[in-house]
């Protein structure tokens, strides 16, 4: 799964990488410990077909849900079963997005009785990652709309398999339009996931375990851990 990530890119980097129609409308503070339930920067297609960056709450609430708290159970969606799950099926065909990230965290099993070890993962080739996502618009009893998203995951590649069996789908820069295009079928999306960017990883300190911690020290290599 993907349960934490970071975004500390500049507005200029976001505009250039995602080919946005316009700069972000609000300042984006550097974030080093984004957690479920918080607002995340996401790119969607506008009515004119242009790419625009806005904010979505992380944790998808299906349009038919009776309780918004279901979003905390739907922070991730498995690529392999998107077309089969009622929570994701319609969003797959109509509401795709890309979540902007500088990197993400994953935890490795440290053995029986030991605490899991956190790692920071990024691509060495680009300033950003585009994590594949789906989004939804939900209205509660009060009628106020809530826009939410989930991050799509797939089987870990060779770089991450030693620490975890799953990873977020990172869309290569050349494939951003393919993911956002609602007419792209699941077979092509699966191929897209397999040709994502390369990853590098390093162990980080346990401070990332506490969501109250949020500064650049979280991504510094841990001096007493092995990669």
């Amino acid at each position: 799964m993907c349960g934490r990530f970071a975004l500390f890119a500049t507005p200029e980097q976001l505009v250039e990488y995602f080919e946005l129609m316009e700069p972000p409308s609000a300042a984006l503070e550097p974030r080093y410990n984004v957690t479920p339930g918080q607002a995340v920067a996401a790119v969607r297609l506008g009515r004119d077909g242009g790419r625009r960056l806005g904010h979505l709450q992380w944790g998808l609430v299906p349009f038919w849900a009776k309780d918004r708290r279901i979003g905390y159970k739907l922070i991730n969606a498995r690529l392999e079963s998107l077309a089969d799950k009622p929570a994701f099926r319609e969003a797959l065909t109509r509401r795709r997005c890309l979540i902007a990230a500088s990197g993400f965290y994953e935890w490795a099993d440290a053995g029986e009785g030991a605490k899991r070890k956190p790692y920071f993962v990024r691509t060495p080739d680009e300033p950003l990652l585009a994590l594949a996502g789906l989004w939804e618009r939900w209205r509660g009893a009060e009628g106020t709309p809530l826009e939410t998203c989930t991050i799509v995951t797939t089987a870990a590649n060779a770089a991450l398999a030693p620490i975890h069996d799953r990873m977020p789908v990172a869309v290569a820069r050349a494939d951003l339009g393919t993911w956002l295009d609602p007419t792209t079928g699941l077979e092509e999306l699966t191929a897209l996931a397999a040709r994502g960017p390369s990853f590098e990883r390093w162990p980080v300190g346990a401070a990332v375990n506490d969501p109250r911690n949020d500064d650049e020290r979280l991504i510094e290599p841990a001096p007493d851990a092995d990669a």
Side-chain angles (χ1 to χ4, degrees), residues 6-221:
L7 176 62
F8 42 83
T10 66
E12 293 78 15
Q13 287 175 319
L14 289 163
V15 169
E16 194 272 336
Y17 186 83
F18 287 101
E19 299 180 8
L20 300 177
M21 295 294 292
E22 55 195 24
S25 58
L28 293 174
E29 296 294 329
R31 298 293 312 280
Y32 294 86
N33 202 1
V34 181
T35 61
Q38 295 181 340
V40 300
V43 175
R44 293 179 285 180
L45 293 181
R47 294 181 182 275
D48 59 359
R51 299 177 192 172
R52 288 178 168 79
L53 186 142
H55 286 90
L56 301 171
Q57 181 175 298
W58 186 10
L60 188 135
V61 181
F63 67 90
W64 43 259
K66 296 181 179 180
D67 190 336
R68 62 188 292 174
R69 287 176 294 182
I70 193 175
Y72 288 99
K73 299 179 180 180
L74 300 177
I75 65 169
N76 290 156
R78 295 173 69 95
L79 176 66
E80 301 89 339
S81 58
L82 290 182
D84 302 323
K85 301 294 185 180
F88 308 127
R89 193 160 49 216
E90 184 168 332
L92 172 65
T93 59
R94 300 183 63 182
R95 290 179 288 275
R96 299 180 193 168
C97 62
L98 295 164
I99 290 96
S102 298
F104 61 92
Y105 299 95
E106 196 52 82
W107 279 258
D109 189 351
E112 185 176 355
K115 293 184 178 179
R116 295 187 303 159
K117 296 181 179 180
Y119 286 76
F120 184 66
V121 184
R122 70 173 186 185
T123 176
D125 304 320
E126 297 280 5
L128 282 159
L129 285 172
L131 305 183
L134 306 175
W135 70 277
E136 275 287 5
R137 182 179 291 111
W138 176 85
R139 290 183 183 272
E142 71 283 0
T144 303
L146 174 67
E147 293 187 333
T148 62
C149 66
T150 187
I151 294 175
V152 179
T153 67
T154 188
N157 61 16
L160 293 191
I163 63 172
H164 204 275
D165 62 343
R166 303 290 297 178
M167 69 178 191
V169 173
V171 182
R173 194 168 186 173
D175 289 328
L176 301 185
T178 303
W179 176 266
L180 290 173
D181 182 353
T183 66
T184 305
L186 188 57
E187 183 176 349
E188 174 57 19
L189 295 181
T190 302
L192 173 156
R195 60 176 181 261
S198 60
F199 288 144
E200 63 179 2
R201 58 180 169 85
W202 58 82
V204 296
V208 71
N209 294 335
D210 188 338
R212 294 172 295 182
N213 297 325
D214 191 356
D215 60 61
E216 65 275 9
R217 290 174 294 181
L218 298 184
I219 66 170
E220 293 177 357

